[in-house]
PDB file of all heavy atoms in Angstrom:
ATOM      1  N   ASP A   1     116.464 -21.104 -21.981  1.00  0.00           N
ATOM      2  CA  ASP A   1     115.387 -20.539 -22.827  1.00  0.00           C
ATOM      3  C   ASP A   1     114.631 -21.527 -23.654  1.00  0.00           C
ATOM      4  O   ASP A   1     113.777 -21.113 -24.361  1.00  0.00           O
ATOM      5  CB  ASP A   1     115.940 -19.315 -23.587  1.00  0.00           C
ATOM      6  CG  ASP A   1     116.989 -19.796 -24.702  1.00  0.00           C
ATOM      7  OD1 ASP A   1     117.257 -20.926 -24.645  1.00  0.00           O
ATOM      8  OD2 ASP A   1     117.335 -18.945 -25.517  1.00  0.00           O
ATOM      9  N   GLY A   2     114.906 -22.746 -23.472  1.00  0.00           N
ATOM     10  CA  GLY A   2     114.236 -23.803 -24.291  1.00  0.00           C
ATOM     11  C   GLY A   2     114.831 -24.162 -25.531  1.00  0.00           C
ATOM     12  O   GLY A   2     114.406 -25.053 -26.318  1.00  0.00           O
ATOM     13  N   SER A   3     116.021 -23.521 -25.878  1.00  0.00           N
ATOM     14  CA  SER A   3     116.645 -23.839 -27.196  1.00  0.00           C
ATOM     15  C   SER A   3     117.698 -24.820 -26.915  1.00  0.00           C
ATOM     16  O   SER A   3     118.000 -25.200 -25.715  1.00  0.00           O
ATOM     17  CB  SER A   3     117.307 -22.484 -27.788  1.00  0.00           C
ATOM     18  OG  SER A   3     118.255 -21.918 -26.871  1.00  0.00           O
ATOM     19  N   TYR A   4     118.475 -25.219 -27.931  1.00  0.00           N
ATOM     20  CA  TYR A   4     119.468 -26.177 -27.870  1.00  0.00           C
ATOM     21  C   TYR A   4     120.715 -25.835 -28.725  1.00  0.00           C
ATOM     22  O   TYR A   4     120.530 -25.251 -29.774  1.00  0.00           O
ATOM     23  CB  TYR A   4     119.017 -27.637 -28.305  1.00  0.00           C
ATOM     24  CG  TYR A   4     117.870 -28.123 -27.599  1.00  0.00           C
ATOM     25  CD1 TYR A   4     116.516 -27.795 -27.977  1.00  0.00           C
ATOM     26  CD2 TYR A   4     118.011 -29.052 -26.515  1.00  0.00           C
ATOM     27  CE1 TYR A   4     115.499 -28.273 -27.298  1.00  0.00           C
ATOM     28  CE2 TYR A   4     116.989 -29.564 -25.953  1.00  0.00           C
ATOM     29  CZ  TYR A   4     115.601 -29.122 -26.293  1.00  0.00           C
ATOM     30  OH  TYR A   4     114.663 -29.635 -25.593  1.00  0.00           O
ATOM     31  N   LEU A   5     121.963 -25.955 -28.141  1.00  0.00           N
ATOM     32  CA  LEU A   5     123.105 -25.758 -28.819  1.00  0.00           C
ATOM     33  C   LEU A   5     123.550 -27.181 -29.374  1.00  0.00           C
ATOM     34  O   LEU A   5     123.708 -28.142 -28.659  1.00  0.00           O
ATOM     35  CB  LEU A   5     124.221 -25.288 -28.016  1.00  0.00           C
ATOM     36  CG  LEU A   5     124.153 -23.654 -27.775  1.00  0.00           C
ATOM     37  CD1 LEU A   5     125.379 -23.321 -26.677  1.00  0.00           C
ATOM     38  CD2 LEU A   5     124.298 -22.887 -28.889  1.00  0.00           C
ATOM     39  N   VAL A   6     123.512 -27.230 -30.739  1.00  0.00           N
ATOM     40  CA  VAL A   6     123.683 -28.531 -31.425  1.00  0.00           C
ATOM     41  C   VAL A   6     124.920 -28.476 -32.280  1.00  0.00           C
ATOM     42  O   VAL A   6     125.146 -27.578 -33.082  1.00  0.00           O
ATOM     43  CB  VAL A   6     122.489 -28.892 -32.218  1.00  0.00           C
ATOM     44  CG1 VAL A   6     122.758 -30.305 -32.848  1.00  0.00           C
ATOM     45  CG2 VAL A   6     121.234 -28.813 -31.412  1.00  0.00           C
ATOM     46  N   ASP A   7     125.874 -29.398 -32.087  1.00  0.00           N
ATOM     47  CA  ASP A   7     127.052 -29.528 -33.128  1.00  0.00           C
ATOM     48  C   ASP A   7     126.545 -29.823 -34.466  1.00  0.00           C
ATOM     49  O   ASP A   7     125.540 -30.636 -34.575  1.00  0.00           O
ATOM     50  CB  ASP A   7     127.840 -30.632 -32.561  1.00  0.00           C
ATOM     51  CG  ASP A   7     128.683 -30.361 -31.408  1.00  0.00           C
ATOM     52  OD1 ASP A   7     128.603 -29.070 -30.857  1.00  0.00           O
ATOM     53  OD2 ASP A   7     129.293 -31.134 -30.802  1.00  0.00           O
ATOM     54  N   GLY A   8     127.250 -29.328 -35.467  1.00  0.00           N
ATOM     55  CA  GLY A   8     126.757 -29.539 -36.774  1.00  0.00           C
ATOM     56  C   GLY A   8     126.731 -30.997 -37.189  1.00  0.00           C
ATOM     57  O   GLY A   8     126.132 -31.338 -38.158  1.00  0.00           O
ATOM     58  N   SER A   9     127.636 -31.744 -36.661  1.00  0.00           N
ATOM     59  CA  SER A   9     127.627 -33.197 -36.929  1.00  0.00           C
ATOM     60  C   SER A   9     126.669 -34.064 -36.340  1.00  0.00           C
ATOM     61  O   SER A   9     126.575 -35.303 -36.645  1.00  0.00           O
ATOM     62  CB  SER A   9     129.122 -33.631 -36.552  1.00  0.00           C
ATOM     63  OG  SER A   9     129.376 -33.566 -35.069  1.00  0.00           O
ATOM     64  N   VAL A  10     125.871 -33.586 -35.617  1.00  0.00           N
ATOM     65  CA  VAL A  10     124.784 -34.391 -34.983  1.00  0.00           C
ATOM     66  C   VAL A  10     123.732 -34.761 -36.000  1.00  0.00           C
ATOM     67  O   VAL A  10     123.352 -33.981 -36.704  1.00  0.00           O
ATOM     68  CB  VAL A  10     124.060 -33.653 -33.718  1.00  0.00           C
ATOM     69  CG1 VAL A  10     122.879 -34.401 -33.259  1.00  0.00           C
ATOM     70  CG2 VAL A  10     124.975 -33.315 -32.587  1.00  0.00           C
ATOM     71  N   THR A  11     123.519 -35.972 -35.982  1.00  0.00           N
ATOM     72  CA  THR A  11     122.569 -36.514 -36.959  1.00  0.00           C
ATOM     73  C   THR A  11     121.014 -36.072 -36.694  1.00  0.00           C
ATOM     74  O   THR A  11     120.742 -36.031 -35.532  1.00  0.00           O
ATOM     75  CB  THR A  11     122.642 -38.021 -37.151  1.00  0.00           C
ATOM     76  OG1 THR A  11     122.149 -38.729 -35.989  1.00  0.00           O
ATOM     77  CG2 THR A  11     124.060 -38.438 -37.527  1.00  0.00           C
ATOM     78  N   LEU A  12     120.285 -35.915 -37.781  1.00  0.00           N
ATOM     79  CA  LEU A  12     118.889 -35.659 -37.646  1.00  0.00           C
ATOM     80  C   LEU A  12     118.101 -36.831 -37.072  1.00  0.00           C
ATOM     81  O   LEU A  12     117.214 -36.522 -36.244  1.00  0.00           O
ATOM     82  CB  LEU A  12     118.301 -35.294 -39.107  1.00  0.00           C
ATOM     83  CG  LEU A  12     118.836 -34.132 -39.814  1.00  0.00           C
ATOM     84  CD1 LEU A  12     118.504 -34.032 -41.202  1.00  0.00           C
ATOM     85  CD2 LEU A  12     118.600 -32.789 -38.973  1.00  0.00           C
ATOM     86  N   ARG A  13     118.559 -38.023 -37.275  1.00  0.00           N
ATOM     87  CA  ARG A  13     117.865 -39.138 -36.766  1.00  0.00           C
ATOM     88  C   ARG A  13     118.084 -39.241 -35.164  1.00  0.00           C
ATOM     89  O   ARG A  13     116.948 -39.420 -34.453  1.00  0.00           O
ATOM     90  CB  ARG A  13     118.367 -40.457 -37.357  1.00  0.00           C
ATOM     91  CG  ARG A  13     117.982 -40.747 -38.828  1.00  0.00           C
ATOM     92  CD  ARG A  13     118.457 -42.066 -39.321  1.00  0.00           C
ATOM     93  NE  ARG A  13     118.109 -43.135 -38.467  1.00  0.00           N
ATOM     94  CZ  ARG A  13     116.913 -43.561 -38.439  1.00  0.00           C
ATOM     95  NH1 ARG A  13     116.033 -43.316 -39.124  1.00  0.00           N
ATOM     96  NH2 ARG A  13     116.733 -44.716 -37.529  1.00  0.00           N
ATOM     97  N   ASP A  14     119.235 -38.834 -34.786  1.00  0.00           N
ATOM     98  CA  ASP A  14     119.359 -38.791 -33.279  1.00  0.00           C
ATOM     99  C   ASP A  14     118.493 -37.751 -32.603  1.00  0.00           C
ATOM    100  O   ASP A  14     117.933 -37.932 -31.586  1.00  0.00           O
ATOM    101  CB  ASP A  14     120.830 -38.482 -32.991  1.00  0.00           C
ATOM    102  CG  ASP A  14     121.768 -39.694 -33.343  1.00  0.00           C
ATOM    103  OD1 ASP A  14     121.132 -40.793 -33.383  1.00  0.00           O
ATOM    104  OD2 ASP A  14     122.996 -39.601 -33.333  1.00  0.00           O
ATOM    105  N   LEU A  15     118.481 -36.535 -33.252  1.00  0.00           N
ATOM    106  CA  LEU A  15     117.610 -35.449 -32.818  1.00  0.00           C
ATOM    107  C   LEU A  15     116.181 -35.930 -32.778  1.00  0.00           C
ATOM    108  O   LEU A  15     115.366 -35.672 -31.739  1.00  0.00           O
ATOM    109  CB  LEU A  15     117.819 -34.176 -33.635  1.00  0.00           C
ATOM    110  CG  LEU A  15     119.148 -33.411 -33.403  1.00  0.00           C
ATOM    111  CD1 LEU A  15     119.238 -32.367 -34.434  1.00  0.00           C
ATOM    112  CD2 LEU A  15     119.302 -32.977 -32.044  1.00  0.00           C
ATOM    113  N   ASN A  16     115.694 -36.424 -33.878  1.00  0.00           N
ATOM    114  CA  ASN A  16     114.184 -36.834 -33.936  1.00  0.00           C
ATOM    115  C   ASN A  16     113.880 -37.862 -32.829  1.00  0.00           C
ATOM    116  O   ASN A  16     112.814 -37.879 -32.338  1.00  0.00           O
ATOM    117  CB  ASN A  16     113.909 -37.370 -35.285  1.00  0.00           C
ATOM    118  CG  ASN A  16     113.894 -36.227 -36.367  1.00  0.00           C
ATOM    119  OD1 ASN A  16     113.676 -35.161 -36.098  1.00  0.00           O
ATOM    120  ND2 ASN A  16     114.134 -36.632 -37.625  1.00  0.00           N
ATOM    121  N   ARG A  17     114.883 -38.865 -32.750  1.00  0.00           N
ATOM    122  CA  ARG A  17     114.693 -39.963 -31.716  1.00  0.00           C
ATOM    123  C   ARG A  17     114.770 -39.487 -30.259  1.00  0.00           C
ATOM    124  O   ARG A  17     113.854 -39.774 -29.520  1.00  0.00           O
ATOM    125  CB  ARG A  17     115.762 -40.904 -32.070  1.00  0.00           C
ATOM    126  CG  ARG A  17     115.520 -42.265 -31.266  1.00  0.00           C
ATOM    127  CD  ARG A  17     116.596 -43.272 -31.670  1.00  0.00           C
ATOM    128  NE  ARG A  17     116.379 -44.488 -31.239  1.00  0.00           N
ATOM    129  CZ  ARG A  17     116.992 -45.578 -31.622  1.00  0.00           C
ATOM    130  NH1 ARG A  17     118.008 -45.424 -32.541  1.00  0.00           N
ATOM    131  NH2 ARG A  17     116.623 -46.695 -31.384  1.00  0.00           N
ATOM    132  N   GLU A  18     115.559 -38.494 -30.000  1.00  0.00           N
ATOM    133  CA  GLU A  18     115.803 -38.081 -28.640  1.00  0.00           C
ATOM    134  C   GLU A  18     114.545 -37.125 -28.171  1.00  0.00           C
ATOM    135  O   GLU A  18     114.003 -37.352 -27.104  1.00  0.00           O
ATOM    136  CB  GLU A  18     117.020 -37.367 -28.529  1.00  0.00           C
ATOM    137  CG  GLU A  18     117.239 -36.747 -27.221  1.00  0.00           C
ATOM    138  CD  GLU A  18     117.487 -37.830 -26.080  1.00  0.00           C
ATOM    139  OE1 GLU A  18     117.900 -38.952 -26.406  1.00  0.00           O
ATOM    140  OE2 GLU A  18     117.158 -37.540 -24.839  1.00  0.00           O
ATOM    141  N   PHE A  19     114.125 -36.240 -29.213  1.00  0.00           N
ATOM    142  CA  PHE A  19     113.119 -35.219 -28.805  1.00  0.00           C
ATOM    143  C   PHE A  19     111.825 -35.452 -29.495  1.00  0.00           C
ATOM    144  O   PHE A  19     110.847 -34.698 -29.297  1.00  0.00           O
ATOM    145  CB  PHE A  19     113.734 -33.913 -29.120  1.00  0.00           C
ATOM    146  CG  PHE A  19     114.930 -33.528 -28.522  1.00  0.00           C
ATOM    147  CD1 PHE A  19     116.175 -33.408 -29.133  1.00  0.00           C
ATOM    148  CD2 PHE A  19     115.078 -33.214 -27.074  1.00  0.00           C
ATOM    149  CE1 PHE A  19     117.426 -33.204 -28.421  1.00  0.00           C
ATOM    150  CE2 PHE A  19     116.254 -32.992 -26.420  1.00  0.00           C
ATOM    151  CZ  PHE A  19     117.485 -32.774 -27.185  1.00  0.00           C
ATOM    152  N   GLU A  20     111.706 -36.599 -30.333  1.00  0.00           N
ATOM    153  CA  GLU A  20     110.494 -36.876 -30.970  1.00  0.00           C
ATOM    154  C   GLU A  20     110.009 -35.780 -31.909  1.00  0.00           C
ATOM    155  O   GLU A  20     108.929 -35.446 -32.047  1.00  0.00           O
ATOM    156  CB  GLU A  20     109.240 -37.264 -30.024  1.00  0.00           C
ATOM    157  CG  GLU A  20     109.568 -38.517 -29.213  1.00  0.00           C
ATOM    158  CD  GLU A  20     108.359 -39.072 -28.539  1.00  0.00           C
ATOM    159  OE1 GLU A  20     107.371 -38.382 -28.390  1.00  0.00           O
ATOM    160  OE2 GLU A  20     108.370 -40.349 -28.170  1.00  0.00           O
ATOM    161  N   TRP A  21     111.051 -35.198 -32.599  1.00  0.00           N
ATOM    162  CA  TRP A  21     110.745 -34.177 -33.625  1.00  0.00           C
ATOM    163  C   TRP A  21     110.514 -34.844 -34.920  1.00  0.00           C
ATOM    164  O   TRP A  21     110.598 -36.085 -35.022  1.00  0.00           O
ATOM    165  CB  TRP A  21     112.001 -33.192 -33.716  1.00  0.00           C
ATOM    166  CG  TRP A  21     112.243 -32.329 -32.413  1.00  0.00           C
ATOM    167  CD1 TRP A  21     111.205 -32.034 -31.485  1.00  0.00           C
ATOM    168  CD2 TRP A  21     113.338 -31.706 -32.062  1.00  0.00           C
ATOM    169  NE1 TRP A  21     111.740 -31.137 -30.555  1.00  0.00           N
ATOM    170  CE2 TRP A  21     113.077 -30.969 -30.827  1.00  0.00           C
ATOM    171  CE3 TRP A  21     114.715 -31.688 -32.531  1.00  0.00           C
ATOM    172  CZ2 TRP A  21     114.001 -30.238 -30.234  1.00  0.00           C
ATOM    173  CZ3 TRP A  21     115.667 -30.801 -31.880  1.00  0.00           C
ATOM    174  CH2 TRP A  21     115.362 -30.156 -30.651  1.00  0.00           C
ATOM    175  N   ASP A  22     110.303 -34.078 -35.918  1.00  0.00           N
ATOM    176  CA  ASP A  22     110.049 -34.595 -37.225  1.00  0.00           C
ATOM    177  C   ASP A  22     110.875 -33.933 -38.224  1.00  0.00           C
ATOM    178  O   ASP A  22     110.237 -33.471 -39.381  1.00  0.00           O
ATOM    179  CB  ASP A  22     108.526 -34.517 -37.568  1.00  0.00           C
ATOM    180  CG  ASP A  22     108.109 -35.357 -38.766  1.00  0.00           C
ATOM    181  OD1 ASP A  22     108.796 -36.355 -39.059  1.00  0.00           O
ATOM    182  OD2 ASP A  22     107.188 -35.107 -39.397  1.00  0.00           O
ATOM    183  N   LEU A  23     112.122 -33.603 -38.001  1.00  0.00           N
ATOM    184  CA  LEU A  23     113.045 -32.899 -38.986  1.00  0.00           C
ATOM    185  C   LEU A  23     113.216 -33.973 -40.156  1.00  0.00           C
ATOM    186  O   LEU A  23     113.569 -35.086 -39.872  1.00  0.00           O
ATOM    187  CB  LEU A  23     114.392 -32.560 -38.278  1.00  0.00           C
ATOM    188  CG  LEU A  23     114.374 -31.444 -37.283  1.00  0.00           C
ATOM    189  CD1 LEU A  23     115.620 -31.398 -36.528  1.00  0.00           C
ATOM    190  CD2 LEU A  23     113.986 -30.155 -38.089  1.00  0.00           C
ATOM    191  N   PRO A  24     113.095 -33.482 -41.412  1.00  0.00           N
ATOM    192  CA  PRO A  24     113.224 -34.339 -42.482  1.00  0.00           C
ATOM    193  C   PRO A  24     114.633 -34.849 -42.733  1.00  0.00           C
ATOM    194  O   PRO A  24     115.639 -34.053 -42.623  1.00  0.00           O
ATOM    195  CB  PRO A  24     112.855 -33.377 -43.670  1.00  0.00           C
ATOM    196  CG  PRO A  24     113.119 -32.037 -43.216  1.00  0.00           C
ATOM    197  CD  PRO A  24     112.822 -32.037 -41.681  1.00  0.00           C
ATOM    198  N   ASP A  25     114.959 -36.112 -42.858  1.00  0.00           N
ATOM    199  CA  ASP A  25     116.178 -36.692 -43.084  1.00  0.00           C
ATOM    200  C   ASP A  25     116.327 -37.343 -44.310  1.00  0.00           C
ATOM    201  O   ASP A  25     117.214 -38.153 -44.584  1.00  0.00           O
ATOM    202  CB  ASP A  25     116.592 -37.644 -41.921  1.00  0.00           C
ATOM    203  CG  ASP A  25     115.550 -38.790 -41.695  1.00  0.00           C
ATOM    204  OD1 ASP A  25     114.613 -38.812 -42.584  1.00  0.00           O
ATOM    205  OD2 ASP A  25     115.740 -39.497 -40.819  1.00  0.00           O
ATOM    206  N   GLU A  26     115.598 -37.048 -45.377  1.00  0.00           N
ATOM    207  CA  GLU A  26     115.622 -37.740 -46.660  1.00  0.00           C
ATOM    208  C   GLU A  26     116.728 -37.203 -47.439  1.00  0.00           C
ATOM    209  O   GLU A  26     117.477 -37.978 -48.162  1.00  0.00           O
ATOM    210  CB  GLU A  26     114.358 -37.538 -47.403  1.00  0.00           C
ATOM    211  CG  GLU A  26     113.216 -38.318 -46.860  1.00  0.00           C
ATOM    212  CD  GLU A  26     112.413 -37.648 -45.720  1.00  0.00           C
ATOM    213  OE1 GLU A  26     112.820 -36.290 -45.617  1.00  0.00           O
ATOM    214  OE2 GLU A  26     111.569 -38.054 -45.043  1.00  0.00           O
ATOM    215  N   GLU A  27     117.109 -35.866 -47.450  1.00  0.00           N
ATOM    216  CA  GLU A  27     118.073 -35.195 -48.273  1.00  0.00           C
ATOM    217  C   GLU A  27     119.418 -34.812 -47.420  1.00  0.00           C
ATOM    218  O   GLU A  27     120.436 -34.424 -48.116  1.00  0.00           O
ATOM    219  CB  GLU A  27     117.579 -33.962 -48.813  1.00  0.00           C
ATOM    220  CG  GLU A  27     116.235 -34.123 -49.733  1.00  0.00           C
ATOM    221  CD  GLU A  27     116.495 -34.952 -50.850  1.00  0.00           C
ATOM    222  OE1 GLU A  27     117.646 -35.019 -51.355  1.00  0.00           O
ATOM    223  OE2 GLU A  27     115.455 -35.590 -51.501  1.00  0.00           O
ATOM    224  N   ALA A  28     119.319 -35.003 -46.142  1.00  0.00           N
ATOM    225  CA  ALA A  28     120.444 -34.637 -45.350  1.00  0.00           C
ATOM    226  C   ALA A  28     120.613 -35.573 -44.247  1.00  0.00           C
ATOM    227  O   ALA A  28     119.630 -36.117 -43.685  1.00  0.00           O
ATOM    228  CB  ALA A  28     120.454 -33.237 -44.994  1.00  0.00           C
ATOM    229  N   VAL A  29     121.827 -35.743 -43.783  1.00  0.00           N
ATOM    230  CA  VAL A  29     122.064 -36.724 -42.550  1.00  0.00           C
ATOM    231  C   VAL A  29     122.214 -35.938 -41.282  1.00  0.00           C
ATOM    232  O   VAL A  29     121.654 -36.309 -40.329  1.00  0.00           O
ATOM    233  CB  VAL A  29     123.202 -37.577 -42.799  1.00  0.00           C
ATOM    234  CG1 VAL A  29     123.477 -38.423 -41.641  1.00  0.00           C
ATOM    235  CG2 VAL A  29     123.065 -38.469 -44.036  1.00  0.00           C
ATOM    236  N   THR A  30     122.908 -34.827 -41.337  1.00  0.00           N
ATOM    237  CA  THR A  30     123.235 -34.041 -40.228  1.00  0.00           C
ATOM    238  C   THR A  30     122.537 -32.733 -40.071  1.00  0.00           C
ATOM    239  O   THR A  30     121.935 -32.398 -41.075  1.00  0.00           O
ATOM    240  CB  THR A  30     124.757 -33.762 -40.034  1.00  0.00           C
ATOM    241  OG1 THR A  30     125.085 -32.961 -41.101  1.00  0.00           O
ATOM    242  CG2 THR A  30     125.555 -35.025 -40.100  1.00  0.00           C
ATOM    243  N   ILE A  31     122.584 -32.086 -38.917  1.00  0.00           N
ATOM    244  CA  ILE A  31     121.923 -30.819 -38.813  1.00  0.00           C
ATOM    245  C   ILE A  31     122.563 -29.756 -39.725  1.00  0.00           C
ATOM    246  O   ILE A  31     121.856 -28.976 -40.361  1.00  0.00           O
ATOM    247  CB  ILE A  31     121.786 -30.361 -37.299  1.00  0.00           C
ATOM    248  CG1 ILE A  31     120.827 -29.230 -37.084  1.00  0.00           C
ATOM    249  CG2 ILE A  31     123.311 -30.138 -36.765  1.00  0.00           C
ATOM    250  CD1 ILE A  31     119.418 -29.593 -37.194  1.00  0.00           C
ATOM    251  N   ALA A  32     123.841 -29.845 -39.948  1.00  0.00           N
ATOM    252  CA  ALA A  32     124.547 -28.920 -40.823  1.00  0.00           C
ATOM    253  C   ALA A  32     124.203 -29.272 -42.292  1.00  0.00           C
ATOM    254  O   ALA A  32     123.925 -28.201 -43.031  1.00  0.00           O
ATOM    255  CB  ALA A  32     126.041 -29.039 -40.601  1.00  0.00           C
ATOM    256  N   GLY A  33     124.030 -30.528 -42.473  1.00  0.00           N
ATOM    257  CA  GLY A  33     123.587 -30.864 -43.999  1.00  0.00           C
ATOM    258  C   GLY A  33     122.212 -30.235 -44.229  1.00  0.00           C
ATOM    259  O   GLY A  33     121.749 -29.834 -45.348  1.00  0.00           O
ATOM    260  N   LEU A  34     121.238 -30.412 -43.230  1.00  0.00           N
ATOM    261  CA  LEU A  34     119.974 -29.870 -43.513  1.00  0.00           C
ATOM    262  C   LEU A  34     119.911 -28.395 -43.739  1.00  0.00           C
ATOM    263  O   LEU A  34     119.129 -27.938 -44.600  1.00  0.00           O
ATOM    264  CB  LEU A  34     119.113 -30.208 -42.139  1.00  0.00           C
ATOM    265  CG  LEU A  34     117.563 -29.618 -42.311  1.00  0.00           C
ATOM    266  CD1 LEU A  34     116.798 -30.379 -43.326  1.00  0.00           C
ATOM    267  CD2 LEU A  34     116.931 -29.977 -40.928  1.00  0.00           C
ATOM    268  N   ILE A  35     120.777 -27.607 -42.960  1.00  0.00           N
ATOM    269  CA  ILE A  35     120.755 -26.277 -43.189  1.00  0.00           C
ATOM    270  C   ILE A  35     121.337 -25.801 -44.543  1.00  0.00           C
ATOM    271  O   ILE A  35     120.688 -25.014 -45.292  1.00  0.00           O
ATOM    272  CB  ILE A  35     121.620 -25.622 -42.042  1.00  0.00           C
ATOM    273  CG1 ILE A  35     120.953 -25.645 -40.791  1.00  0.00           C
ATOM    274  CG2 ILE A  35     121.899 -24.052 -42.418  1.00  0.00           C
ATOM    275  CD1 ILE A  35     121.815 -25.211 -39.608  1.00  0.00           C
ATOM    276  N   LEU A  36     122.428 -26.619 -44.971  1.00  0.00           N
ATOM    277  CA  LEU A  36     122.960 -26.348 -46.233  1.00  0.00           C
ATOM    278  C   LEU A  36     121.893 -26.771 -47.439  1.00  0.00           C
ATOM    279  O   LEU A  36     121.816 -26.002 -48.396  1.00  0.00           O
ATOM    280  CB  LEU A  36     124.236 -27.074 -46.498  1.00  0.00           C
ATOM    281  CG  LEU A  36     125.427 -26.800 -45.661  1.00  0.00           C
ATOM    282  CD1 LEU A  36     126.519 -27.718 -45.830  1.00  0.00           C
ATOM    283  CD2 LEU A  36     125.803 -25.394 -45.871  1.00  0.00           C
ATOM    284  N   HIS A  37     121.193 -27.747 -47.183  1.00  0.00           N
ATOM    285  CA  HIS A  37     120.261 -28.242 -48.264  1.00  0.00           C
ATOM    286  C   HIS A  37     119.090 -27.233 -48.300  1.00  0.00           C
ATOM    287  O   HIS A  37     118.580 -27.005 -49.475  1.00  0.00           O
ATOM    288  CB  HIS A  37     119.691 -29.518 -47.856  1.00  0.00           C
ATOM    289  CG  HIS A  37     118.606 -30.048 -48.714  1.00  0.00           C
ATOM    290  ND1 HIS A  37     118.773 -30.413 -50.013  1.00  0.00           N
ATOM    291  CD2 HIS A  37     117.188 -30.101 -48.468  1.00  0.00           C
ATOM    292  CE1 HIS A  37     117.540 -30.725 -50.526  1.00  0.00           C
ATOM    293  NE2 HIS A  37     116.614 -30.576 -49.681  1.00  0.00           N
ATOM    294  N   GLU A  38     118.616 -26.792 -47.206  1.00  0.00           N
ATOM    295  CA  GLU A  38     117.483 -25.831 -47.271  1.00  0.00           C
ATOM    296  C   GLU A  38     117.693 -24.444 -47.663  1.00  0.00           C
ATOM    297  O   GLU A  38     116.984 -23.831 -48.356  1.00  0.00           O
ATOM    298  CB  GLU A  38     116.725 -25.856 -45.784  1.00  0.00           C
ATOM    299  CG  GLU A  38     116.156 -27.271 -45.488  1.00  0.00           C
ATOM    300  CD  GLU A  38     114.872 -27.548 -46.204  1.00  0.00           C
ATOM    301  OE1 GLU A  38     114.354 -26.611 -46.854  1.00  0.00           O
ATOM    302  OE2 GLU A  38     114.543 -28.739 -46.188  1.00  0.00           O
ATOM    303  N   SER A  39     118.901 -23.901 -47.237  1.00  0.00           N
ATOM    304  CA  SER A  39     119.296 -22.602 -47.443  1.00  0.00           C
ATOM    305  C   SER A  39     119.895 -22.406 -48.860  1.00  0.00           C
ATOM    306  O   SER A  39     119.991 -21.289 -49.401  1.00  0.00           O
ATOM    307  CB  SER A  39     120.202 -22.036 -46.378  1.00  0.00           C
ATOM    308  OG  SER A  39     121.431 -22.883 -46.346  1.00  0.00           O
ATOM    309  N   ARG A  40     120.465 -23.482 -49.388  1.00  0.00           N
ATOM    310  CA  ARG A  40     121.200 -23.400 -50.738  1.00  0.00           C
ATOM    311  C   ARG A  40     122.284 -22.436 -50.584  1.00  0.00           C
ATOM    312  O   ARG A  40     122.773 -21.744 -51.598  1.00  0.00           O
ATOM    313  CB  ARG A  40     120.296 -22.975 -51.787  1.00  0.00           C
ATOM    314  CG  ARG A  40     119.039 -23.896 -51.807  1.00  0.00           C
ATOM    315  CD  ARG A  40     119.363 -25.298 -52.141  1.00  0.00           C
ATOM    316  NE  ARG A  40     118.139 -26.136 -52.283  1.00  0.00           N
ATOM    317  CZ  ARG A  40     118.109 -27.423 -52.535  1.00  0.00           C
ATOM    318  NH1 ARG A  40     119.275 -28.058 -52.793  1.00  0.00           N
ATOM    319  NH2 ARG A  40     116.990 -28.138 -52.746  1.00  0.00           N
TER     320      ARG A  40
END
């Protein structure tokens, strides 16, 4: 369906690099960290 199953330990830099996304990586390193940071 165009979505991705991503392990929580996958780094944001790897995702941005692979898919040319622009997920912010200033406050978090991994996808799990980003969710924790944004959702509080």
Side-chain angles (χ1 to χ4, degrees):
D1 59 357
S3 63
Y4 299 87
L5 282 179
V6 184
D7 291 350
S9 58
V10 175
T11 66
L12 297 169
R13 287 182 53 77
D14 288 343
L15 290 173
N16 290 336
R17 189 174 195 170
E18 178 67 23
F19 302 106
E20 296 195 343
W21 293 339
D22 195 24
L23 289 168
D25 57 1
E26 293 83 9
E27 302 295 337
V29 176
T30 64
I31 193 72
L34 177 64
I35 294 173
L36 294 175
H37 173 73
E38 294 289 347
S39 65
R40 307 295 179 181

